[in-house]
Amino acid sequence: MKHIFQKGSDPEAPTLVLFHGTGGTEQDLLPVAQIVSPASSVLSIRGNVLENGMPRFFKRLSEGVFDEEDLLIRTNELHEFLGEAAAAYGLDRTQFVAIGYSNGANIAGSLLFHHQGAWKGAILHHPMVPRRGIEIPKLNGTPIFIGAGTNDPICTPQETEELEQLLRDAGGDITVSWESFGHRLTHSEVNTAAAWFQSHWGSR
Ligand code: MLT
């Protein structure tokens, strides 16, 4: 998959794996990674589905309605890619922390829903419930940060609470941070996520 890899200065710091929103690229969240953990290695991936020329991580049938078959294929493809990238760049696959926004948060969340131990932790900015009606692999206390909007028209507060409950029920350690800027990823949300990251894995 098309991606950027940047080697960090601290080999002990978790590797940040970045997933942009619809229409974005692997460049978008690099500044976010700098704020969250400047010494971490960064693997930033470009979604390999195109919707009217806009990169995404999986197909959708309409706004907010996912193509579940494609979601599963892309989730597995990504899971495989992460293993290959860990081997290629000499990274510890168990030390990967996801940062995703919108469609990118949805694919990072889908990894949690389908693969045990997918992430050491995850920062999900404005995620939706990626799939319903399946048993989520045990999360065993995996720390997960959800940035949500009280007035987000795409990821509604009801859906945020549903996702929070599903991840909690699977044993995740969930933190939800609410703002009121719709679906936007704001500086203050990034700063809150950075403080959350640093409370778990230190300031690097
Ligand atoms: C999705 O399709 O993943 C969500 O609707 C978020 C987005 O607009 O990309």
Side-chain angles (χ1 to χ4, degrees), residues 127-163:
M128 295 166 70
V129 174
R131 238 191 120 177
R132 293 184 171 81
I134 60 164
E135 196 177 333
I136 303 174
K138 294 269 169 291
L139 289 169
N140 301 321
T142 301
I144 298 166
F145 174 95
I146 296 176
T150 55
N151 55 349
D152 187 332
I154 298 172
C155 309
T156 62
Q158 292 76 13
E159 185 152 353
T160 301
E161 282 161 8
E162 184 186 349
L163 179 63

PDB file of all heavy atoms in Angstrom, residues 127-163:
ATOM      1  N   PRO A 127     -14.961   8.611  14.952  1.00  0.00           N
ATOM      2  CA  PRO A 127     -15.241   7.283  14.376  1.00  0.00           C
ATOM      3  C   PRO A 127     -16.721   6.935  14.421  1.00  0.00           C
ATOM      4  O   PRO A 127     -17.481   7.491  15.206  1.00  0.00           O
ATOM      5  CB  PRO A 127     -14.480   6.349  15.318  1.00  0.00           C
ATOM      6  CG  PRO A 127     -14.594   7.030  16.657  1.00  0.00           C
ATOM      7  CD  PRO A 127     -14.578   8.524  16.370  1.00  0.00           C
ATOM      8  N   MET A 128     -17.102   5.998  13.580  1.00  0.00           N
ATOM      9  CA  MET A 128     -18.446   5.403  13.605  1.00  0.00           C
ATOM     10  C   MET A 128     -18.311   3.946  14.062  1.00  0.00           C
ATOM     11  O   MET A 128     -17.214   3.442  14.227  1.00  0.00           O
ATOM     12  CB  MET A 128     -19.055   5.458  12.200  1.00  0.00           C
ATOM     13  CG  MET A 128     -19.285   6.887  11.723  1.00  0.00           C
ATOM     14  SD  MET A 128     -19.627   6.997   9.959  1.00  0.00           S
ATOM     15  CE  MET A 128     -21.252   6.265   9.891  1.00  0.00           C
ATOM     16  N   VAL A 129     -19.455   3.282  14.239  1.00  0.00           N
ATOM     17  CA  VAL A 129     -19.422   1.841  14.510  1.00  0.00           C
ATOM     18  C   VAL A 129     -19.120   1.171  13.170  1.00  0.00           C
ATOM     19  O   VAL A 129     -19.922   1.281  12.246  1.00  0.00           O
ATOM     20  CB  VAL A 129     -20.778   1.346  15.067  1.00  0.00           C
ATOM     21  CG1 VAL A 129     -20.778  -0.169  15.212  1.00  0.00           C
ATOM     22  CG2 VAL A 129     -21.088   2.033  16.394  1.00  0.00           C
ATOM     23  N   PRO A 130     -17.965   0.502  13.029  1.00  0.00           N
ATOM     24  CA  PRO A 130     -17.610  -0.017  11.697  1.00  0.00           C
ATOM     25  C   PRO A 130     -18.483  -1.184  11.257  1.00  0.00           C
ATOM     26  O   PRO A 130     -18.713  -1.365  10.059  1.00  0.00           O
ATOM     27  CB  PRO A 130     -16.150  -0.456  11.854  1.00  0.00           C
ATOM     28  CG  PRO A 130     -15.924  -0.634  13.315  1.00  0.00           C
ATOM     29  CD  PRO A 130     -16.898   0.266  14.018  1.00  0.00           C
ATOM     30  N   ARG A 131     -18.938  -1.969  12.244  1.00  0.00           N
ATOM     31  CA  ARG A 131     -19.723  -3.172  11.917  1.00  0.00           C
ATOM     32  C   ARG A 131     -20.575  -3.556  13.105  1.00  0.00           C
ATOM     33  O   ARG A 131     -20.168  -3.335  14.246  1.00  0.00           O
ATOM     34  CB  ARG A 131     -18.777  -4.327  11.628  1.00  0.00           C
ATOM     35  CG  ARG A 131     -18.960  -4.906  10.258  1.00  0.00           C
ATOM     36  CD  ARG A 131     -18.225  -6.172  10.109  1.00  0.00           C
ATOM     37  NE  ARG A 131     -19.164  -7.245   9.792  1.00  0.00           N
ATOM     38  CZ  ARG A 131     -18.770  -8.483   9.544  1.00  0.00           C
ATOM     39  NH1 ARG A 131     -17.505  -8.809   9.609  1.00  0.00           N
ATOM     40  NH2 ARG A 131     -19.674  -9.387   9.239  1.00  0.00           N
ATOM     41  N   ARG A 132     -21.731  -4.118  12.834  1.00  0.00           N
ATOM     42  CA  ARG A 132     -22.602  -4.560  13.935  1.00  0.00           C
ATOM     43  C   ARG A 132     -22.819  -6.063  13.827  1.00  0.00           C
ATOM     44  O   ARG A 132     -22.660  -6.653  12.776  1.00  0.00           O
ATOM     45  CB  ARG A 132     -23.941  -3.828  13.885  1.00  0.00           C
ATOM     46  CG  ARG A 132     -23.797  -2.343  14.181  1.00  0.00           C
ATOM     47  CD  ARG A 132     -25.130  -1.623  14.227  1.00  0.00           C
ATOM     48  NE  ARG A 132     -24.961  -0.259  14.717  1.00  0.00           N
ATOM     49  CZ  ARG A 132     -24.544   0.776  13.978  1.00  0.00           C
ATOM     50  NH1 ARG A 132     -24.245   0.614  12.700  1.00  0.00           N
ATOM     51  NH2 ARG A 132     -24.418   1.974  14.519  1.00  0.00           N
ATOM     52  N   GLY A 133     -23.174  -6.655  14.977  1.00  0.00           N
ATOM     53  CA  GLY A 133     -23.579  -8.059  14.963  1.00  0.00           C
ATOM     54  C   GLY A 133     -22.445  -9.047  14.945  1.00  0.00           C
ATOM     55  O   GLY A 133     -22.645 -10.206  14.594  1.00  0.00           O
ATOM     56  N   ILE A 134     -21.234  -8.605  15.302  1.00  0.00           N
ATOM     57  CA  ILE A 134     -20.130  -9.573  15.407  1.00  0.00           C
ATOM     58  C   ILE A 134     -19.538  -9.466  16.810  1.00  0.00           C
ATOM     59  O   ILE A 134     -19.698  -8.446  17.488  1.00  0.00           O
ATOM     60  CB  ILE A 134     -18.998  -9.333  14.374  1.00  0.00           C
ATOM     61  CG1 ILE A 134     -18.379  -7.936  14.535  1.00  0.00           C
ATOM     62  CG2 ILE A 134     -19.489  -9.547  12.962  1.00  0.00           C
ATOM     63  CD1 ILE A 134     -17.044  -7.793  13.825  1.00  0.00           C
ATOM     64  N   GLU A 135     -18.859 -10.526  17.223  1.00  0.00           N
ATOM     65  CA  GLU A 135     -18.200 -10.475  18.526  1.00  0.00           C
ATOM     66  C   GLU A 135     -16.827  -9.834  18.352  1.00  0.00           C
ATOM     67  O   GLU A 135     -16.033 -10.280  17.518  1.00  0.00           O
ATOM     68  CB  GLU A 135     -18.063 -11.884  19.099  1.00  0.00           C
ATOM     69  CG  GLU A 135     -17.744 -11.831  20.579  1.00  0.00           C
ATOM     70  CD  GLU A 135     -17.664 -13.219  21.200  1.00  0.00           C
ATOM     71  OE1 GLU A 135     -18.327 -14.128  20.666  1.00  0.00           O
ATOM     72  OE2 GLU A 135     -16.924 -13.369  22.176  1.00  0.00           O
ATOM     73  N   ILE A 136     -16.573  -8.803  19.137  1.00  0.00           N
ATOM     74  CA  ILE A 136     -15.285  -8.096  19.038  1.00  0.00           C
ATOM     75  C   ILE A 136     -14.236  -8.891  19.815  1.00  0.00           C
ATOM     76  O   ILE A 136     -14.506  -9.328  20.935  1.00  0.00           O
ATOM     77  CB  ILE A 136     -15.422  -6.668  19.622  1.00  0.00           C
ATOM     78  CG1 ILE A 136     -16.541  -5.912  18.903  1.00  0.00           C
ATOM     79  CG2 ILE A 136     -14.103  -5.909  19.532  1.00  0.00           C
ATOM     80  CD1 ILE A 136     -16.843  -4.550  19.496  1.00  0.00           C
ATOM     81  N   PRO A 137     -13.044  -9.094  19.229  1.00  0.00           N
ATOM     82  CA  PRO A 137     -11.984  -9.796  19.975  1.00  0.00           C
ATOM     83  C   PRO A 137     -11.687  -9.067  21.291  1.00  0.00           C
ATOM     84  O   PRO A 137     -11.818  -7.841  21.365  1.00  0.00           O
ATOM     85  CB  PRO A 137     -10.776  -9.709  19.042  1.00  0.00           C
ATOM     86  CG  PRO A 137     -11.315  -9.413  17.689  1.00  0.00           C
ATOM     87  CD  PRO A 137     -12.601  -8.669  17.886  1.00  0.00           C
ATOM     88  N   LYS A 138     -11.295  -9.806  22.300  1.00  0.00           N
ATOM     89  CA  LYS A 138     -11.010  -9.228  23.626  1.00  0.00           C
ATOM     90  C   LYS A 138      -9.968  -8.123  23.519  1.00  0.00           C
ATOM     91  O   LYS A 138      -8.930  -8.279  22.870  1.00  0.00           O
ATOM     92  CB  LYS A 138     -10.489 -10.304  24.572  1.00  0.00           C
ATOM     93  CG  LYS A 138     -11.507 -11.382  24.911  1.00  0.00           C
ATOM     94  CD  LYS A 138     -12.304 -11.013  26.150  1.00  0.00           C
ATOM     95  CE  LYS A 138     -13.505 -11.922  26.370  1.00  0.00           C
ATOM     96  NZ  LYS A 138     -14.581 -11.743  25.349  1.00  0.00           N
ATOM     97  N   LEU A 139     -10.250  -7.013  24.184  1.00  0.00           N
ATOM     98  CA  LEU A 139      -9.330  -5.872  24.101  1.00  0.00           C
ATOM     99  C   LEU A 139      -8.364  -5.810  25.289  1.00  0.00           C
ATOM    100  O   LEU A 139      -7.399  -5.038  25.252  1.00  0.00           O
ATOM    101  CB  LEU A 139     -10.133  -4.573  23.980  1.00  0.00           C
ATOM    102  CG  LEU A 139     -10.828  -4.403  22.623  1.00  0.00           C
ATOM    103  CD1 LEU A 139     -11.815  -3.248  22.642  1.00  0.00           C
ATOM    104  CD2 LEU A 139      -9.802  -4.196  21.513  1.00  0.00           C
ATOM    105  N   ASN A 140      -8.649  -6.595  26.321  1.00  0.00           N
ATOM    106  CA  ASN A 140      -7.705  -6.727  27.458  1.00  0.00           C
ATOM    107  C   ASN A 140      -7.117  -5.393  27.926  1.00  0.00           C
ATOM    108  O   ASN A 140      -5.901  -5.265  28.079  1.00  0.00           O
ATOM    109  CB  ASN A 140      -6.556  -7.684  27.083  1.00  0.00           C
ATOM    110  CG  ASN A 140      -7.061  -9.060  26.715  1.00  0.00           C
ATOM    111  OD1 ASN A 140      -7.997  -9.558  27.340  1.00  0.00           O
ATOM    112  ND2 ASN A 140      -6.481  -9.686  25.694  1.00  0.00           N
ATOM    113  N   GLY A 141      -7.970  -4.403  28.110  1.00  0.00           N
ATOM    114  CA  GLY A 141      -7.514  -3.126  28.662  1.00  0.00           C
ATOM    115  C   GLY A 141      -6.829  -2.201  27.665  1.00  0.00           C
ATOM    116  O   GLY A 141      -6.245  -1.191  28.059  1.00  0.00           O
ATOM    117  N   THR A 142      -6.899  -2.518  26.372  1.00  0.00           N
ATOM    118  CA  THR A 142      -6.290  -1.636  25.351  1.00  0.00           C
ATOM    119  C   THR A 142      -6.837  -0.210  25.495  1.00  0.00           C
ATOM    120  O   THR A 142      -8.053  -0.001  25.441  1.00  0.00           O
ATOM    121  CB  THR A 142      -6.620  -2.151  23.927  1.00  0.00           C
ATOM    122  OG1 THR A 142      -6.125  -3.471  23.801  1.00  0.00           O
ATOM    123  CG2 THR A 142      -6.008  -1.270  22.851  1.00  0.00           C
ATOM    124  N   PRO A 143      -5.947   0.788  25.664  1.00  0.00           N
ATOM    125  CA  PRO A 143      -6.416   2.168  25.778  1.00  0.00           C
ATOM    126  C   PRO A 143      -6.888   2.722  24.420  1.00  0.00           C
ATOM    127  O   PRO A 143      -6.170   2.619  23.425  1.00  0.00           O
ATOM    128  CB  PRO A 143      -5.189   2.938  26.268  1.00  0.00           C
ATOM    129  CG  PRO A 143      -4.220   1.910  26.757  1.00  0.00           C
ATOM    130  CD  PRO A 143      -4.498   0.690  25.907  1.00  0.00           C
ATOM    131  N   ILE A 144      -8.083   3.275  24.419  1.00  0.00           N
ATOM    132  CA  ILE A 144      -8.640   3.833  23.176  1.00  0.00           C
ATOM    133  C   ILE A 144      -9.223   5.211  23.478  1.00  0.00           C
ATOM    134  O   ILE A 144     -10.020   5.371  24.405  1.00  0.00           O
ATOM    135  CB  ILE A 144      -9.742   2.905  22.607  1.00  0.00           C
ATOM    136  CG1 ILE A 144      -9.128   1.543  22.253  1.00  0.00           C
ATOM    137  CG2 ILE A 144     -10.400   3.532  21.363  1.00  0.00           C
ATOM    138  CD1 ILE A 144     -10.149   0.451  21.995  1.00  0.00           C
ATOM    139  N   PHE A 145      -8.795   6.186  22.688  1.00  0.00           N
ATOM    140  CA  PHE A 145      -9.287   7.557  22.810  1.00  0.00           C
ATOM    141  C   PHE A 145     -10.249   7.820  21.661  1.00  0.00           C
ATOM    142  O   PHE A 145      -9.928   7.561  20.499  1.00  0.00           O
ATOM    143  CB  PHE A 145      -8.108   8.538  22.724  1.00  0.00           C
ATOM    144  CG  PHE A 145      -8.504   9.990  22.683  1.00  0.00           C
ATOM    145  CD1 PHE A 145      -8.537  10.744  23.852  1.00  0.00           C
ATOM    146  CD2 PHE A 145      -8.824  10.606  21.474  1.00  0.00           C
ATOM    147  CE1 PHE A 145      -8.889  12.097  23.818  1.00  0.00           C
ATOM    148  CE2 PHE A 145      -9.183  11.957  21.430  1.00  0.00           C
ATOM    149  CZ  PHE A 145      -9.209  12.695  22.604  1.00  0.00           C
ATOM    150  N   ILE A 146     -11.427   8.325  21.996  1.00  0.00           N
ATOM    151  CA  ILE A 146     -12.401   8.696  20.963  1.00  0.00           C
ATOM    152  C   ILE A 146     -12.625  10.207  21.043  1.00  0.00           C
ATOM    153  O   ILE A 146     -13.027  10.725  22.094  1.00  0.00           O
ATOM    154  CB  ILE A 146     -13.743   7.964  21.170  1.00  0.00           C
ATOM    155  CG1 ILE A 146     -13.551   6.443  21.013  1.00  0.00           C
ATOM    156  CG2 ILE A 146     -14.806   8.476  20.197  1.00  0.00           C
ATOM    157  CD1 ILE A 146     -14.825   5.629  21.295  1.00  0.00           C
ATOM    158  N   GLY A 147     -12.366  10.916  19.952  1.00  0.00           N
ATOM    159  CA  GLY A 147     -12.694  12.331  19.858  1.00  0.00           C
ATOM    160  C   GLY A 147     -14.025  12.448  19.142  1.00  0.00           C
ATOM    161  O   GLY A 147     -14.168  11.957  18.020  1.00  0.00           O
ATOM    162  N   ALA A 148     -15.009  13.075  19.806  1.00  0.00           N
ATOM    163  CA  ALA A 148     -16.369  13.077  19.267  1.00  0.00           C
ATOM    164  C   ALA A 148     -16.951  14.488  19.266  1.00  0.00           C
ATOM    165  O   ALA A 148     -16.433  15.382  19.931  1.00  0.00           O
ATOM    166  CB  ALA A 148     -17.244  12.153  20.101  1.00  0.00           C
ATOM    167  N   GLY A 149     -18.027  14.658  18.516  1.00  0.00           N
ATOM    168  CA  GLY A 149     -18.685  15.961  18.450  1.00  0.00           C
ATOM    169  C   GLY A 149     -20.134  15.859  18.918  1.00  0.00           C
ATOM    170  O   GLY A 149     -20.870  15.000  18.432  1.00  0.00           O
ATOM    171  N   THR A 150     -20.512  16.743  19.840  1.00  0.00           N
ATOM    172  CA  THR A 150     -21.913  16.743  20.300  1.00  0.00           C
ATOM    173  C   THR A 150     -22.855  17.069  19.135  1.00  0.00           C
ATOM    174  O   THR A 150     -24.029  16.727  19.165  1.00  0.00           O
ATOM    175  CB  THR A 150     -22.127  17.814  21.387  1.00  0.00           C
ATOM    176  OG1 THR A 150     -21.704  19.077  20.849  1.00  0.00           O
ATOM    177  CG2 THR A 150     -21.327  17.499  22.655  1.00  0.00           C
ATOM    178  N   ASN A 151     -22.291  17.741  18.125  1.00  0.00           N
ATOM    179  CA  ASN A 151     -23.104  18.140  16.969  1.00  0.00           C
ATOM    180  C   ASN A 151     -22.497  17.627  15.664  1.00  0.00           C
ATOM    181  O   ASN A 151     -22.571  18.287  14.632  1.00  0.00           O
ATOM    182  CB  ASN A 151     -23.223  19.665  16.921  1.00  0.00           C
ATOM    183  CG  ASN A 151     -21.851  20.336  16.928  1.00  0.00           C
ATOM    184  OD1 ASN A 151     -20.840  19.689  17.159  1.00  0.00           O
ATOM    185  ND2 ASN A 151     -21.825  21.624  16.672  1.00  0.00           N
ATOM    186  N   ASP A 152     -21.862  16.450  15.752  1.00  0.00           N
ATOM    187  CA  ASP A 152     -21.276  15.849  14.549  1.00  0.00           C
ATOM    188  C   ASP A 152     -22.396  15.179  13.745  1.00  0.00           C
ATOM    189  O   ASP A 152     -23.008  14.226  14.220  1.00  0.00           O
ATOM    190  CB  ASP A 152     -20.207  14.818  14.977  1.00  0.00           C
ATOM    191  CG  ASP A 152     -19.428  14.254  13.794  1.00  0.00           C
ATOM    192  OD1 ASP A 152     -19.993  14.199  12.681  1.00  0.00           O
ATOM    193  OD2 ASP A 152     -18.279  13.847  13.995  1.00  0.00           O
ATOM    194  N   PRO A 153     -22.669  15.677  12.522  1.00  0.00           N
ATOM    195  CA  PRO A 153     -23.788  15.122  11.752  1.00  0.00           C
ATOM    196  C   PRO A 153     -23.460  13.761  11.142  1.00  0.00           C
ATOM    197  O   PRO A 153     -24.373  13.017  10.762  1.00  0.00           O
ATOM    198  CB  PRO A 153     -24.001  16.157  10.640  1.00  0.00           C
ATOM    199  CG  PRO A 153     -22.670  16.825  10.473  1.00  0.00           C
ATOM    200  CD  PRO A 153     -21.978  16.770  11.814  1.00  0.00           C
ATOM    201  N   ILE A 154     -22.168  13.420  11.044  1.00  0.00           N
ATOM    202  CA  ILE A 154     -21.761  12.151  10.413  1.00  0.00           C
ATOM    203  C   ILE A 154     -21.621  11.057  11.466  1.00  0.00           C
ATOM    204  O   ILE A 154     -22.175   9.969  11.322  1.00  0.00           O
ATOM    205  CB  ILE A 154     -20.449  12.358   9.613  1.00  0.00           C
ATOM    206  CG1 ILE A 154     -20.691  13.379   8.491  1.00  0.00           C
ATOM    207  CG2 ILE A 154     -19.946  11.040   9.033  1.00  0.00           C
ATOM    208  CD1 ILE A 154     -19.453  13.820   7.754  1.00  0.00           C
ATOM    209  N   CYS A 155     -20.888  11.373  12.531  1.00  0.00           N
ATOM    210  CA  CYS A 155     -20.772  10.429  13.652  1.00  0.00           C
ATOM    211  C   CYS A 155     -21.602  11.018  14.786  1.00  0.00           C
ATOM    212  O   CYS A 155     -21.100  11.824  15.570  1.00  0.00           O
ATOM    213  CB  CYS A 155     -19.330  10.309  14.112  1.00  0.00           C
ATOM    214  SG  CYS A 155     -18.187   9.979  12.773  1.00  0.00           S
ATOM    215  N   THR A 156     -22.853  10.640  14.862  1.00  0.00           N
ATOM    216  CA  THR A 156     -23.758  11.255  15.843  1.00  0.00           C
ATOM    217  C   THR A 156     -23.356  10.860  17.266  1.00  0.00           C
ATOM    218  O   THR A 156     -22.713   9.821  17.468  1.00  0.00           O
ATOM    219  CB  THR A 156     -25.205  10.782  15.606  1.00  0.00           C
ATOM    220  OG1 THR A 156     -25.243   9.351  15.799  1.00  0.00           O
ATOM    221  CG2 THR A 156     -25.682  11.119  14.202  1.00  0.00           C
ATOM    222  N   PRO A 157     -23.759  11.663  18.259  1.00  0.00           N
ATOM    223  CA  PRO A 157     -23.454  11.310  19.651  1.00  0.00           C
ATOM    224  C   PRO A 157     -23.995   9.922  20.015  1.00  0.00           C
ATOM    225  O   PRO A 157     -23.317   9.166  20.718  1.00  0.00           O
ATOM    226  CB  PRO A 157     -24.174  12.398  20.451  1.00  0.00           C
ATOM    227  CG  PRO A 157     -24.286  13.553  19.523  1.00  0.00           C
ATOM    228  CD  PRO A 157     -24.399  12.988  18.144  1.00  0.00           C
ATOM    229  N   GLN A 158     -25.162   9.552  19.480  1.00  0.00           N
ATOM    230  CA  GLN A 158     -25.725   8.222  19.771  1.00  0.00           C
ATOM    231  C   GLN A 158     -24.779   7.129  19.273  1.00  0.00           C
ATOM    232  O   GLN A 158     -24.546   6.136  19.948  1.00  0.00           O
ATOM    233  CB  GLN A 158     -27.086   8.042  19.083  1.00  0.00           C
ATOM    234  CG  GLN A 158     -28.208   8.902  19.622  1.00  0.00           C
ATOM    235  CD  GLN A 158     -28.123  10.370  19.165  1.00  0.00           C
ATOM    236  OE1 GLN A 158     -27.367  10.707  18.247  1.00  0.00           O
ATOM    237  NE2 GLN A 158     -28.871  11.245  19.815  1.00  0.00           N
ATOM    238  N   GLU A 159     -24.241   7.343  18.070  1.00  0.00           N
ATOM    239  CA  GLU A 159     -23.356   6.320  17.514  1.00  0.00           C
ATOM    240  C   GLU A 159     -22.027   6.273  18.281  1.00  0.00           C
ATOM    241  O   GLU A 159     -21.457   5.204  18.493  1.00  0.00           O
ATOM    242  CB  GLU A 159     -23.117   6.573  16.015  1.00  0.00           C
ATOM    243  CG  GLU A 159     -22.307   5.457  15.386  1.00  0.00           C
ATOM    244  CD  GLU A 159     -22.584   5.238  13.894  1.00  0.00           C
ATOM    245  OE1 GLU A 159     -23.507   5.859  13.348  1.00  0.00           O
ATOM    246  OE2 GLU A 159     -21.849   4.430  13.310  1.00  0.00           O
ATOM    247  N   THR A 160     -21.561   7.441  18.709  1.00  0.00           N
ATOM    248  CA  THR A 160     -20.344   7.488  19.528  1.00  0.00           C
ATOM    249  C   THR A 160     -20.550   6.671  20.796  1.00  0.00           C
ATOM    250  O   THR A 160     -19.690   5.876  21.199  1.00  0.00           O
ATOM    251  CB  THR A 160     -20.009   8.950  19.898  1.00  0.00           C
ATOM    252  OG1 THR A 160     -19.818   9.691  18.705  1.00  0.00           O
ATOM    253  CG2 THR A 160     -18.755   9.032  20.760  1.00  0.00           C
ATOM    254  N   GLU A 161     -21.713   6.875  21.447  1.00  0.00           N
ATOM    255  CA  GLU A 161     -21.977   6.152  22.697  1.00  0.00           C
ATOM    256  C   GLU A 161     -22.113   4.649  22.449  1.00  0.00           C
ATOM    257  O   GLU A 161     -21.683   3.834  23.270  1.00  0.00           O
ATOM    258  CB  GLU A 161     -23.231   6.731  23.370  1.00  0.00           C
ATOM    259  CG  GLU A 161     -22.893   8.039  24.069  1.00  0.00           C
ATOM    260  CD  GLU A 161     -24.091   8.922  24.368  1.00  0.00           C
ATOM    261  OE1 GLU A 161     -25.249   8.463  24.179  1.00  0.00           O
ATOM    262  OE2 GLU A 161     -23.856  10.080  24.778  1.00  0.00           O
ATOM    263  N   GLU A 162     -22.699   4.304  21.308  1.00  0.00           N
ATOM    264  CA  GLU A 162     -22.806   2.871  20.966  1.00  0.00           C
ATOM    265  C   GLU A 162     -21.408   2.261  20.800  1.00  0.00           C
ATOM    266  O   GLU A 162     -21.119   1.178  21.325  1.00  0.00           O
ATOM    267  CB  GLU A 162     -23.611   2.726  19.665  1.00  0.00           C
ATOM    268  CG  GLU A 162     -23.870   1.290  19.265  1.00  0.00           C
ATOM    269  CD  GLU A 162     -24.544   1.181  17.889  1.00  0.00           C
ATOM    270  OE1 GLU A 162     -25.009   2.204  17.323  1.00  0.00           O
ATOM    271  OE2 GLU A 162     -24.589   0.047  17.380  1.00  0.00           O
ATOM    272  N   LEU A 163     -20.537   2.985  20.077  1.00  0.00           N
ATOM    273  CA  LEU A 163     -19.174   2.491  19.867  1.00  0.00           C
ATOM    274  C   LEU A 163     -18.436   2.369  21.195  1.00  0.00           C
ATOM    275  O   LEU A 163     -17.764   1.361  21.471  1.00  0.00           O
ATOM    276  CB  LEU A 163     -18.419   3.442  18.926  1.00  0.00           C
ATOM    277  CG  LEU A 163     -16.971   3.068  18.623  1.00  0.00           C
ATOM    278  CD1 LEU A 163     -16.890   1.727  17.887  1.00  0.00           C
ATOM    279  CD2 LEU A 163     -16.286   4.160  17.796  1.00  0.00           C
TER     280      LEU A 163
END
